[in-house]
Amino acid sequence: MTQEQRRPTLVDVAHAAGVSRALVSIVMRGAPGASESTRQRVLEAAGELGYRPDARARLLRSNRTRLLGLTFSTSQPFHSEIVDAVYAQASAKGYDVALSAVGRGRAEERAVESLLDAGSEALILIASTLNENDLGRYAHQVPVVSLLRNDVGDHVDSVSCDDAAGIRLAIEHLTSLGHRRIIHVDGGTAVSADQRRAAFRAEMIGHGLEPLTLSGGPSEEDGLAAGQRLLALNPSAVIAFNDRTALGVMESLRSAGRNVPTDVSVVGYDDSQFARLSYIQLTSISQDAQLLAAAAVNRAVDRIENRQPLGHDVSTPHLVRRATTAAAPVSRA
Amino acid sequence: MTQEQRRPTLVDVAHAAGVSRALVSIVMRGAPGASESTRQRVLEAAGELGYRPDARARLLRSNRTRLLGLTFSTSQPFHSEIVDAVYAQASAKGYDVALSAVGRGRAEERAVESLLDAGSEALILIASTLNENDLGRYAHQVPVVSLLRNDVGDHVDSVSCDDAAGIRLAIEHLTSLGHRRIIHVDGGTAVSADQRRAAFRAEMIGHGLEPLTLSGGPSEEDGLAAGQRLLALNPSAVIAFNDRTALGVMESLRSAGRNVPTDVSVVGYDDSQFARLSYIQLTSISQDAQLLAAAAVNRAVDRIENRQPLGHDVSTPHLVRRATTAAAPVSRA
DNA sequence: TTCAATTGCTAGATCGTTCTAGATTGCTCC
DNA sequence: GGAGCAATCTAGAACGATCTAGCAATTGAA
């Protein structure tokens, strides 16, 4: 049972193929310097022995791991989508991904250090809450790319989606439907919440509308709580901090007997899997996980390989119209 | 900008403290064989230089990484809860966790191999879909613990929750409320779906009731689709494969004008964060992520350290009664 | 024919640790 | 005062890969 047998090494393969260690090494990493015939012979021997290069020895010597470190939060479904997309893009670029979760009882510092220990050549941090000092310290060791947050100082790359543009899209969509009394249920202290709140205020004022804001947060419960304070403000539309917040707001509206979208329109943010559920059909601002992930991986890899200079990508979100927004009710428009 | 300076090594610390490499090594891993005074001196020097042992070199030599490999699915929120709990328990046992996600476009084999490359000393696979052959092959290299699935053959440990007991609890809860026409919306081809379906059938028959089953799946959409076929069967209660399925079923009921729980009671499975949302309050079978995670980590660590024999833990689920179950309507009871 | 360049391969050093075996010191005990 | 022993420390060989330098054989050009 579970006969722990030593895994084969370069030496074993070399012996089996009748060549030197160095040649096997050359063949295994596809480097030039071996004839086609021996290359075949070596690969065959390796295959037969089930040889797989030892990552730690390899990187100890070469200082290359082809590993991208990625942190994410277990409680944000949108992060999960990014994780999937990062895997795909990294794999396309020939990199592997080391994952580390940030959650209750596991601080981001801890997550990051475990990624560094694993030998990550760059870090991609999703919605990091580290301060500039800490970021700078890590950036001192490897390239760091901040994803979904762009106020990160001068030592860290960032890839984010234009929050102001997203809020603007939402407001334009709603005003074009005749809404004028629009409320923003904000993200409280969450990453990006400040930007979206500020953008909402500026844009509403630009439209000559009152920038009504309720403090919320990134979860359903936050939306639910805000929803209970919502009706007193008599809104015809709500822009929520994210999809989860929107779900909470909608539930609150529903339990108060208001219909979405005939009484109140709701716009979410993230276009996460929730928004797409057939019975929710939430109109939402899409940040396109695929695109963001690809940009982050590309930045990380560019920094690692080409010594590309540090920079900040800002992509433009778009609005996905579904079933939770409609023309403003005549009485309130 | 990002002055990539070489990270300090044992040699640097040894030099700074005026001792040999070996002694620094002894101090760093807390091994006996150094006097208290030099221990202090070395630690001080290490601290000043910001020295952190190089994990790869360490494990290359020692064949110890103190790393547990963990796979999970990005799309199952219950897995996220387990991930959090595994981190906590592993940390308590002095181990770190290497995470690898299984998702669209990332096969479980790929995830597992990346964990092995990272040097995992054991693997914990959440709801693995690997066949016994593959499992055996991996178990040949390191201890493997299957979590949430127990039909895994003789070479793999397992930690699972008694599916039959869970279904029994749900049925007993419902029958005690007077329900007799209970439908199981199953998990289709998902892990554990077979066990739960079989348990449902056996237990219902044991109660002298008809074991009505609809084919479903592990997501909201599956529950929604099943929900549409549900009403024709005129049930007074539904036991869903998991919480996400239950959400879909409830939505379907709601859109058909049925009230939960006055018209139809619904029981979920997993007691995930959804079930606990204040506006959902789903009665659910709890598998206790904390407990499962702790058991899995303990098994893995026991196998690694004490060469404990392989075994299978089966924990007992419990029912968390919330707001989606009530007495059967008189007309249909 | 001879010399240089190219191709195909290998020996040995090296990465940063841990481990084994042995050296050095200081102490106790007879 | 020397044997015996524990405590403290160190030198040097691992671990499994990559990398550098160089050796042999072949090719091409003069």
Side-chain angles (χ1 to χ4, degrees), chain A residues 168 171-172 175 180 201-210:
Chain A
R168 192 178 317 126
I171 292 177
E172 277 166 7
T175 52
R180 301 191 55 77
R201 158 168 287 274
E203 191 68 19
M204 285 293 279
I205 290 174
H207 277 75
L209 300 172
E210 190 183 354

Side-chain angles (χ1 to χ4, degrees), chain B residues 26-306:
Chain B
I26 286 170
V27 171
M28 290 318 291
R29 66 199 137 96
S35 72
E36 196 47 44
S37 64
T38 48
R39 195 175 286 274
Q40 287 308 325
R41 197 150 40 90
V42 168
L43 285 176
E44 199 172 311
E48 247 165 57
L49 291 172
Y51 169 76
R52 301 191 41 181
D54 183 319
R56 48 228 190 192
R58 162 174 282 182
L59 79 93
L60 171 59
R61 179 60 235 228
S62 68
N63 271 328
R64 287 300 316 262
T65 55
R66 304 197 73 81
L67 207 55
L68 299 178
L70 177 65
T71 64
F72 75 109
S73 161
T74 47
S75 61
Q76 286 297 341
F78 184 55
H79 290 197
S80 298
E81 299 186 31
I82 295 180
V83 168
D84 277 348
V86 166
Y87 269 118
Q89 178 70 7
S91 165
K93 288 266 177 175
Y95 281 74
D96 205 348
V97 174
L99 255 195
S100 193
V102 176
R104 302 177 323 228
R106 186 172 163 87
E108 194 171 352
E109 286 90 336
R110 180 77 198 282
V112 167
E113 301 198 334
S114 112
L115 291 176
L116 289 175
D117 280 349
S120 303
E121 295 187 44
L123 296 175
I124 298 177
L125 310 178
I126 305 182
S128 170
T129 59
L130 293 174
N131 62 41
E132 284 194 26
N133 258 356
D134 286 335
L135 286 173
R137 196 155 41 81
Y138 296 129
H140 196 66
Q141 303 178 50
V142 295
V144 174
V145 179
S146 164
L147 189 44
L148 293 187
R149 173 180 160 206
N150 60 9
D151 57 331
V152 286
D154 302 332
H155 304 294
V156 175
D157 286 84
S158 76
V159 170
S160 59
C161 205
D162 188 341
D163 285 313
I167 293 294
R168 193 179 315 127
L169 282 172
I171 292 177
E172 277 166 7
H173 173 58
L174 291 172
T175 53
S176 79
L177 287 168
H179 294 274
R180 303 190 54 77
R181 205 159 168 81
I182 303 170
I183 294 198
H184 177 45
V185 174
D186 75 11
T189 59
V191 170
S192 280
D194 284 345
Q195 287 82 342
R196 291 181 197 170
R197 190 167 32 231
F200 178 76
R201 160 168 285 274
E203 192 67 19
M204 286 293 277
I205 290 174
H207 277 75
L209 300 173
E210 192 184 352
L212 298 161
T213 303
L214 276 177
S215 82
S219 77
E220 290 86 353
E221 300 295 352
D222 297 314
L224 196 69
Q228 276 146 17
R229 287 169 284 139
L230 191 69
L231 294 176
L233 296 171
N234 195 33
S236 79
V238 174
I239 298 175
F241 172 66
N242 70 15
D243 290 346
R244 291 182 65 195
T245 315
L247 254 54
V249 168
M250 287 185 359
E251 187 51 35
S252 182
L253 289 170
R254 172 144 63 180
S255 72
R258 305 305 171 92
N259 186 274
V260 173
T262 52
D263 294 330
V264 181
S265 288
V266 175
V267 179
Y269 212 113
D270 279 351
D271 189 30
S272 64
Q273 52 186 359
F274 291 143
R276 285 180 232 131
L277 286 177
S278 61
Y279 63 90
I280 294 187
Q281 293 285 341
L282 178 66
T283 294
S284 189
I285 303 298
S286 167
Q287 307 196 62
D288 201 335
Q290 304 287 330
L291 225 62
L292 287 173
V297 169
N298 289 344
R299 275 224 163 268
V301 171
D302 281 351
R303 287 284 305 287
I304 294 171
E305 292 181 354
N306 309 333

Side-chain angles (χ1 to χ4, degrees), chain A residues 185-266:
Chain A
V185 174
D186 76 11
T189 60
V191 170
S192 281
D194 284 345
Q195 287 81 343
R196 292 182 195 168
R197 190 167 33 232
F200 178 78
R201 158 168 287 274
E203 191 68 19
M204 285 293 279
I205 290 174
H207 277 75
L209 300 172
E210 190 183 354
L212 299 161
T213 302
L214 277 177
S215 81
S219 78
E220 289 86 354
E221 300 295 352
D222 298 314
L224 197 70
Q228 277 147 15
R229 287 169 285 138
L230 191 68
L231 293 176
L233 295 172
N234 195 34
S236 79
V238 174
I239 298 175
F241 172 67
N242 71 14
D243 290 345
R244 292 182 64 195
T245 315
L247 253 54
V249 168
M250 289 194 332
E251 187 52 35
S252 183
L253 289 170
R254 173 143 63 180
S255 72
R258 304 305 170 93
N259 186 274
V260 173
T262 51
D263 294 330
V264 181
S265 288
V266 175

Side-chain angles (χ1 to χ4, degrees), chain A residues 273-287:
Chain A
Q273 51 187 0
F274 291 144
R276 286 179 231 130
L277 286 177
S278 61
Y279 62 90
I280 293 187
Q281 293 286 340
L282 178 65
T283 295
S284 189
I285 303 299
S286 167
Q287 307 197 60

